[in-house]
Amino acid sequence: MNPFDEIAVEEAVRLKEKKIAQEIVAVSCGPAQSQETLRTALAMGVDRGIHVEVSGPEYDTLQPIHVSKILAKLAQDEKADIVIVGKQAIDDDSNQTAQMTAALLDWPQATFASKIEKQNGELQVTREIDGGLETIKVKLPAVVSADLRLNEPRYATLPNIMKAKKKPIKKVSPKDLGVDTAARIEVLSVEDPPTRQAGVILPDVDQLIVKLKEGGHVQ
């Protein structure tokens, strides 16, 4: 499981433990192996899972916009009050799903959350920004993305791992949800960056200037 998603799952479980949430539904989009990720979430305390089956070439070109449409449709079908996701992917570092899901649902969003509290039917969220911390309030329903310091995910205990095997996982396809996952981009090529040349130690500034001139860096 993506570490940020693991933090999101942990926060959902904590919200249920505080009686703020009643039921937690985990969603994973991908091939058959995605069920293992869902079982991990179930062992952490999630009530049930939904596996959106996407495999083969369709999975290779699955983009955040597709996942956002899937999550938005499921949030509506499940009558969810909060959608919590990890702040970004760890393969391509995309940081788009939470924002696009909120836009599709027309819900307020609280991204990069490092603290979540419920006050008077609203969420007070502390966000990590470049200049420090920002505290905002959002009305429910809302979309939240989890940052690294939101919590420390728990380890799934053996009894909970065994219980997770009995918890339900529903299988659906993007087509069942009315979501078109046709590729919107085409990967033209993937190349390694050029190999860096080894550095050299020069005895003095004069030699440095000579080297720079030889390399065409100075005239």
Side-chain angles (χ1 to χ4, degrees):
M1 188 187 298
N2 175 337
F4 294 110
D5 291 340
E6 194 173 10
I7 292 168
V9 169
E10 173 65 27
E11 192 63 23
V13 174
R14 293 188 184 191
L15 290 174
K16 186 178 180 182
E17 290 172 344
K18 294 174 184 175
K19 310 297 183 185
I20 295 174
Q22 293 181 332
E23 184 185 37
I24 310 167
V25 182
V27 179
S28 184
C29 307
Q33 296 94 311
S34 297
Q35 289 196 38
E36 297 176 16
T37 301
L38 286 172
R39 291 293 176 196
T40 300
L42 294 172
M44 289 174 67
V46 169
D47 297 297
R48 55 189 174 94
I50 298 177
H51 176 205
V52 183
E53 290 190 280
V54 184
S55 58
E58 188 183 15
Y59 180 65
D60 293 337
T61 55
L62 191 70
Q63 295 172 250
I65 184 64
H66 301 136
V67 177
S68 298
K69 288 182 176 181
I70 289 169
L71 292 180
K73 182 62 169 63
L74 288 172
Q76 292 172 328
D77 292 349
E78 296 289 336
K79 295 179 173 56
D81 293 311
I82 306 175
V83 173
I84 307 181
V85 298
K87 75 167 184 176
Q88 68 188 67
I90 56 170
D91 45 11
D92 58 6
D93 274 348
S94 289
N95 163 30
Q96 304 169 16
T97 303
Q99 293 88 333
M100 289 192 289
T101 302
L104 290 165
L105 289 167
D106 196 22
W107 289 4
Q109 58 180 291
T111 55
F112 316 134
S114 62
K115 187 177 181 181
I116 300 174
E117 299 172 295
K118 189 176 182 184
Q119 296 181 352
N120 302 320
E122 298 178 332
L123 292 184
Q124 180 169 298
V125 180
T126 302
R127 303 178 60 243
E128 297 198 357
I129 59 175
D130 289 343
L133 298 176
E134 177 184 66
T135 302
I136 62 171
K137 282 186 177 180
V138 292
K139 294 182 179 180
L140 296 174
V143 177
V144 179
S145 74
D147 211 336
L148 197 62
R149 278 165 283 276
L150 180 58
N151 60 52
E152 183 73 31
R154 71 194 65 192
Y155 288 103
T157 62
L158 183 58
N160 286 338
I161 292 172
M162 300 306 293
K163 289 177 184 176
K165 294 180 179 180
K166 297 180 181 179
K167 291 182 179 180
I169 292 180
K170 178 183 177 182
K171 285 187 181 182
V172 296
S173 69
K175 189 176 180 180
D176 296 333
L177 301 172
V179 176
D180 179 12
T181 55
R184 289 171 170 243
I185 61 171
E186 178 186 357
V187 179
L188 300 179
S189 66
V190 177
E191 302 169 10
D192 290 329
T195 304
R196 292 183 62 182
Q197 294 182 344
V200 294
I201 298 176
L202 301 173
D204 51 44
V205 175
D206 292 337
Q207 286 294 318
L208 173 61
I209 294 173
V210 170
K211 282 290 184 182
L212 290 175
K213 286 183 178 179
E214 290 175 353
H217 302 296
V218 297
Q219 295 182 353

